[in-house]
Amino acid sequence: MACALITGASGGLGWEIARVFAERGYDLVLVARREDKLAQLADELSQAYGVVVRYVAADLATPEGLVALTNLTDSLTAEGRTIDVLVNNAGFGDCADFAEADIHKLDRMIELNIRALTDLTYYYLGPMLDRGAGRILNVASVGAFEPGPGMATYYASKAYVLSLTEALAEELRGTGVTATALCPGTTDTGFWEAADAGELSRARQAAIANPAEVAAYGYESLMAGRVVAVPGLGNKIMVTAARLCPRPLLRRVMRMLLAK
Protein backbone atom coordinates (compact mmCIF):
# COMPACT_ATOMS: atom_id res chain seq x y z
CA MET A 1 0.00 0.00 0.00
CA ALA A 2 1.29 3.48 -0.88
CA CYS A 3 2.29 5.83 1.94
CA ALA A 4 1.96 9.63 2.17
CA LEU A 5 3.93 11.84 4.56
CA ILE A 6 2.04 15.00 5.55
CA THR A 7 3.51 17.83 7.62
CA GLY A 8 1.40 20.26 9.61
CA ALA A 9 -1.30 17.60 9.90
CA SER A 10 -2.75 18.45 13.30
CA GLY A 11 -5.32 20.92 12.00
CA GLY A 12 -6.64 23.02 9.14
CA LEU A 13 -5.61 22.13 5.63
CA GLY A 14 -3.15 19.44 6.73
CA TRP A 15 -5.91 17.60 8.61
CA GLU A 16 -8.12 17.62 5.50
CA ILE A 17 -5.27 16.55 3.21
CA ALA A 18 -4.62 13.59 5.49
CA ARG A 19 -8.28 12.64 5.27
CA VAL A 20 -8.24 12.82 1.47
CA PHE A 21 -5.28 10.46 1.24
CA ALA A 22 -6.75 8.06 3.81
CA GLU A 23 -10.03 7.95 1.88
CA ARG A 24 -8.04 6.79 -1.14
CA GLY A 25 -6.32 4.02 0.76
CA TYR A 26 -2.94 5.56 1.56
CA ASP A 27 -1.11 4.66 4.74
CA LEU A 28 0.03 7.85 6.44
CA VAL A 29 2.94 9.39 8.30
CA LEU A 30 1.77 12.55 10.05
CA VAL A 31 3.87 15.20 11.75
CA ALA A 32 2.97 18.34 13.68
CA ARG A 33 3.68 19.83 17.10
CA ARG A 34 0.39 18.87 18.80
CA GLU A 35 0.58 15.21 19.78
CA ASP A 36 -2.97 15.07 21.13
CA LYS A 37 -4.38 16.26 17.81
CA LEU A 38 -2.20 13.84 15.85
CA ALA A 39 -3.36 10.94 18.04
CA GLN A 40 -6.98 11.95 17.53
CA LEU A 41 -6.58 12.17 13.77
CA ALA A 42 -4.64 8.90 13.55
CA ASP A 43 -7.33 7.04 15.48
CA GLU A 44 -10.12 8.58 13.43
CA LEU A 45 -8.58 7.80 10.04
CA SER A 46 -7.38 4.31 10.89
CA GLN A 47 -10.82 3.33 12.15
CA ALA A 48 -12.72 4.98 9.30
CA TYR A 49 -10.58 3.78 6.40
CA GLY A 50 -8.55 0.86 7.68
CA VAL A 51 -5.21 2.48 6.89
CA VAL A 52 -2.04 2.40 8.98
CA VAL A 53 -1.31 5.82 10.47
CA ARG A 54 1.98 6.60 12.16
CA TYR A 55 2.75 9.99 13.63
CA VAL A 56 5.43 11.95 15.40
CA ALA A 57 5.02 15.14 17.41
CA ALA A 58 7.88 17.34 16.28
CA ASP A 59 8.68 20.98 15.65
CA LEU A 60 10.02 21.06 12.10
CA ALA A 61 11.35 24.56 12.63
CA THR A 62 14.13 22.94 14.67
CA PRO A 63 16.87 20.50 13.62
CA GLU A 64 15.70 18.15 16.37
CA GLY A 65 12.21 18.04 14.86
CA LEU A 66 13.53 17.15 11.43
CA VAL A 67 15.67 14.37 12.93
CA ALA A 68 12.68 12.95 14.83
CA LEU A 69 10.69 12.75 11.60
CA THR A 70 13.46 11.26 9.47
CA ASN A 71 14.22 8.71 12.19
CA LEU A 72 10.61 7.52 11.99
CA THR A 73 10.63 7.25 8.21
CA ASP A 74 14.07 5.57 8.25
CA SER A 75 12.55 2.87 10.45
CA LEU A 76 9.84 2.39 7.83
CA THR A 77 12.49 2.09 5.13
CA ALA A 78 14.13 -0.64 7.18
CA GLU A 79 10.79 -2.46 7.09
CA GLY A 80 10.68 -2.17 3.31
CA ARG A 81 8.18 0.72 3.23
CA THR A 82 8.63 3.84 1.12
CA ILE A 83 7.38 7.42 1.24
CA ASP A 84 5.50 7.61 -2.06
CA VAL A 85 4.02 11.09 -1.55
CA LEU A 86 5.49 14.02 0.37
CA VAL A 87 3.12 16.84 1.34
CA ASN A 88 4.95 19.89 2.70
CA ASN A 89 2.04 21.69 4.34
CA ALA A 90 3.51 22.98 7.62
CA GLY A 91 3.89 26.74 7.80
CA PHE A 92 2.59 29.90 9.44
CA GLY A 93 2.36 33.64 8.91
CA ASP A 94 2.44 36.87 10.88
CA CYS A 95 0.70 40.19 10.34
CA ALA A 96 2.98 43.12 11.15
CA ASP A 97 5.09 45.60 9.29
CA PHE A 98 8.60 44.20 8.96
CA ALA A 99 10.27 46.78 11.22
CA GLU A 100 7.68 46.17 13.94
CA ALA A 101 7.67 42.37 13.76
CA ASP A 102 9.25 39.99 16.28
CA ILE A 103 12.50 38.99 14.58
CA HIS A 104 12.53 35.66 16.43
CA LYS A 105 9.11 34.85 15.00
CA LEU A 106 10.27 35.81 11.52
CA ASP A 107 13.35 33.61 11.89
CA ARG A 108 11.16 30.71 12.99
CA MET A 109 8.86 31.32 10.03
CA ILE A 110 11.79 31.14 7.63
CA GLU A 111 13.02 27.96 9.32
CA LEU A 112 9.64 26.25 8.92
CA ASN A 113 8.26 27.70 5.69
CA ILE A 114 11.55 27.54 3.77
CA ARG A 115 14.32 25.51 5.36
CA ALA A 116 12.25 22.58 6.63
CA LEU A 117 10.39 22.34 3.32
CA THR A 118 13.68 22.44 1.40
CA ASP A 119 15.37 19.85 3.61
CA LEU A 120 12.46 17.43 3.53
CA THR A 121 12.07 17.77 -0.23
CA TYR A 122 15.76 17.01 -0.69
CA TYR A 123 15.71 14.11 1.78
CA TYR A 124 12.77 12.24 0.23
CA LEU A 125 13.40 13.16 -3.40
CA GLY A 126 16.50 11.01 -3.77
CA PRO A 127 14.76 7.69 -2.99
CA MET A 128 11.85 8.70 -5.25
CA LEU A 129 14.28 9.26 -8.13
CA ASP A 130 15.94 5.92 -7.42
CA ARG A 131 12.55 4.21 -7.73
CA GLY A 132 11.49 6.33 -10.70
CA ALA A 133 8.22 7.18 -8.96
CA GLY A 134 6.92 9.66 -6.41
CA ARG A 135 4.97 12.86 -5.92
CA ILE A 136 5.68 16.04 -3.97
CA LEU A 137 2.98 18.55 -3.03
CA ASN A 138 4.29 21.85 -1.66
CA VAL A 139 1.66 24.14 -0.17
CA ALA A 140 2.36 27.71 -1.29
CA SER A 141 -0.29 30.44 -1.51
CA VAL A 142 -1.82 32.94 -3.91
CA GLY A 143 0.43 35.27 -1.94
CA ALA A 144 3.34 33.69 -3.81
CA PHE A 145 2.37 35.79 -6.83
CA GLU A 146 2.17 39.10 -4.96
CA PRO A 147 4.21 41.32 -2.63
CA GLY A 148 2.81 41.32 0.91
CA PRO A 149 3.33 44.65 2.70
CA GLY A 150 2.24 43.95 6.25
CA MET A 151 3.14 40.26 5.87
CA ALA A 152 6.38 40.65 3.93
CA THR A 153 8.28 37.62 5.21
CA TYR A 154 5.34 35.24 4.86
CA TYR A 155 4.58 36.28 1.29
CA ALA A 156 8.27 36.07 0.42
CA SER A 157 8.47 32.57 1.90
CA LYS A 158 5.59 31.41 -0.27
CA ALA A 159 7.17 32.98 -3.35
CA TYR A 160 10.19 30.82 -2.57
CA VAL A 161 8.01 27.70 -2.33
CA LEU A 162 6.38 28.43 -5.68
CA SER A 163 9.66 29.20 -7.45
CA LEU A 164 11.39 26.13 -6.01
CA THR A 165 8.53 23.86 -6.99
CA GLU A 166 8.29 25.16 -10.54
CA ALA A 167 12.03 24.75 -11.08
CA LEU A 168 12.00 21.32 -9.48
CA ALA A 169 9.11 20.20 -11.68
CA GLU A 170 11.13 21.04 -14.77
CA GLU A 171 14.21 19.25 -13.45
CA LEU A 172 12.07 16.18 -12.77
CA ARG A 173 10.52 16.04 -16.23
CA GLY A 174 10.67 12.46 -17.50
CA THR A 175 11.86 10.94 -14.22
CA GLY A 176 8.54 9.57 -13.00
CA VAL A 177 8.58 11.99 -10.06
CA THR A 178 6.36 15.11 -10.04
CA ALA A 179 6.24 18.33 -8.05
CA THR A 180 3.11 20.44 -7.56
CA ALA A 181 2.65 23.80 -5.85
CA LEU A 182 -0.80 24.18 -4.30
CA CYS A 183 -1.62 27.90 -4.06
CA PRO A 184 -4.82 28.44 -2.06
CA GLY A 185 -6.26 31.78 -1.12
CA THR A 186 -7.95 32.61 2.18
CA THR A 187 -9.08 29.31 3.67
CA ASP A 188 -11.06 28.52 6.82
CA THR A 189 -8.16 27.01 8.76
CA GLY A 190 -7.41 29.35 11.66
CA PHE A 191 -4.36 30.66 9.81
CA TRP A 192 -5.35 34.32 10.05
CA GLU A 193 -6.08 34.09 13.78
CA ALA A 194 -2.68 32.52 14.39
CA ALA A 195 -1.11 35.26 12.27
CA ASP A 196 -2.68 37.93 14.51
CA ALA A 197 -4.45 39.40 11.52
CA GLY A 198 -7.35 40.95 13.37
CA GLU A 199 -10.63 41.22 11.47
CA LEU A 200 -10.32 40.28 7.81
CA SER A 201 -11.46 42.67 5.11
CA ARG A 202 -14.89 42.05 3.63
CA ALA A 203 -13.27 40.95 0.37
CA ARG A 204 -11.24 38.28 2.14
CA GLN A 205 -14.18 37.17 4.27
CA ALA A 206 -16.25 36.66 1.14
CA ALA A 207 -13.48 34.60 -0.44
CA ILE A 208 -12.90 32.16 2.43
CA ALA A 209 -12.63 28.63 1.03
CA ASN A 210 -13.59 25.29 2.57
CA PRO A 211 -10.37 23.44 3.53
CA ALA A 212 -11.85 20.07 2.56
CA GLU A 213 -12.48 21.37 -0.96
CA VAL A 214 -8.97 22.85 -1.18
CA ALA A 215 -7.48 19.55 0.00
CA ALA A 216 -9.44 17.58 -2.60
CA TYR A 217 -8.36 19.99 -5.32
CA GLY A 218 -4.75 19.69 -4.21
CA TYR A 219 -4.92 15.89 -4.35
CA GLU A 220 -6.49 15.89 -7.80
CA SER A 221 -3.92 18.37 -9.08
CA LEU A 222 -1.07 16.31 -7.63
CA MET A 223 -2.34 13.13 -9.26
CA ALA A 224 -2.83 14.96 -12.57
CA GLY A 225 0.77 16.17 -12.47
CA ARG A 226 -0.08 19.87 -12.51
CA VAL A 227 2.85 22.06 -11.62
CA VAL A 228 0.88 25.04 -10.26
CA ALA A 229 -2.58 24.47 -8.78
CA VAL A 230 -4.73 27.48 -7.85
CA PRO A 231 -8.12 26.45 -6.44
CA GLY A 232 -11.18 28.57 -7.08
CA LEU A 233 -12.15 30.90 -9.91
CA GLY A 234 -11.69 34.00 -7.76
CA ASN A 235 -8.15 33.00 -6.86
CA LYS A 236 -7.33 32.26 -10.50
CA ILE A 237 -8.57 35.72 -11.46
CA MET A 238 -6.53 37.27 -8.63
CA VAL A 239 -3.36 35.50 -9.76
CA THR A 240 -3.88 36.56 -13.36
CA ALA A 241 -4.55 40.15 -12.28
CA ALA A 242 -1.40 40.16 -10.14
CA ARG A 243 0.66 39.08 -13.14
CA LEU A 244 -0.80 41.80 -15.35
CA CYS A 245 -1.00 44.64 -12.84
CA PRO A 246 1.84 47.21 -12.77
CA ARG A 247 3.97 46.38 -9.73
CA PRO A 248 3.71 49.84 -8.07
CA LEU A 249 -0.09 49.63 -8.24
CA LEU A 250 -0.08 46.02 -7.05
CA ARG A 251 1.98 46.97 -3.99
CA ARG A 252 -0.51 49.72 -3.09
CA VAL A 253 -3.49 47.41 -3.51
CA MET A 254 -1.91 44.69 -1.40
CA ARG A 255 -1.06 47.24 1.28
CA MET A 256 -4.72 48.14 1.55
CA LEU A 257 -5.87 44.53 1.58
CA LEU A 258 -3.40 43.47 4.28
CA ALA A 259 -3.75 46.53 6.51
CA LYS A 260 -5.05 45.64 9.97
Side-chain angles (χ1 to χ4, degrees), residues 24-56:
R24 288 152 179 81
Y26 280 77
D27 287 341
L28 301 174
V29 175
L30 308 178
V31 59
R33 290 185 299 164
R34 294 178 290 179
E35 186 168 11
D36 58 333
K37 292 292 186 180
L38 289 173
Q40 177 187 344
L41 180 58
D43 183 63
E44 177 183 325
L45 296 181
S46 60
Q47 289 194 28
Y49 304 109
V51 297
V52 177
V53 184
R54 298 173 177 85
Y55 63 88
V56 58

Side-chain angles (χ1 to χ4, degrees), residues 21-200:
F21 276 94
E23 286 176 345
R24 288 152 179 81
Y26 280 77
D27 287 341
L28 301 174
V29 175
L30 308 178
V31 59
R33 290 185 299 164
R34 294 178 290 179
E35 186 168 11
D36 58 333
K37 292 292 186 180
L38 289 173
Q40 177 187 344
L41 180 58
D43 183 63
E44 177 183 325
L45 296 181
S46 60
Q47 289 194 28
Y49 304 109
V51 297
V52 177
V53 184
R54 298 173 177 85
Y55 63 88
V56 58
D59 183 354
L60 296 180
T62 67
E64 295 79 9
L66 289 171
V67 169
L69 173 57
T70 55
N71 283 345
L72 171 59
T73 55
D74 285 350
S75 70
L76 295 181
T77 300
E79 298 171 7
R81 298 303 308 273
T82 60
I83 298 300
D84 304 285
V85 177
L86 169 64
V87 181
N88 282 309
N89 168 72
F92 71 94
D94 184 43
C95 285
D97 281 2
F98 186 83
E100 300 171 359
D102 180 343
I103 188 59
H104 301 293
K105 189 172 185 179
L106 296 185
D107 285 345
R108 177 177 163 76
M109 189 190 307
I110 291 168
E111 289 292 308
L112 183 59
N113 294 14
I114 294 178
R115 186 185 61 80
L117 179 143
T118 303
D119 288 356
L120 292 178
T121 299
Y122 186 88
Y123 190 84
Y124 294 105
L125 177 59
M128 290 180 181
L129 287 171
D130 290 342
R131 296 192 306 270
R135 299 180 187 275
I136 298 171
L137 180 66
N138 289 331
V139 178
S141 165
V142 293
F145 301 90
E146 308 154 346
M151 295 185 72
T153 302
Y154 174 75
Y155 272 60
S157 74
K158 291 305 181 178
Y160 172 88
V161 173
L162 176 61
S163 180
L164 176 72
T165 307
E166 288 194 89
L168 184 58
E170 189 60 30
E171 293 175 1
L172 295 175
R173 184 183 295 273
T175 65
V177 182
T178 66
T180 299
L182 176 62
C183 302
T186 305
T187 307
D188 188 14
T189 61
F191 168 88
W192 291 97
E193 290 84 354
D196 191 28
E199 185 176 353
L200 295 181

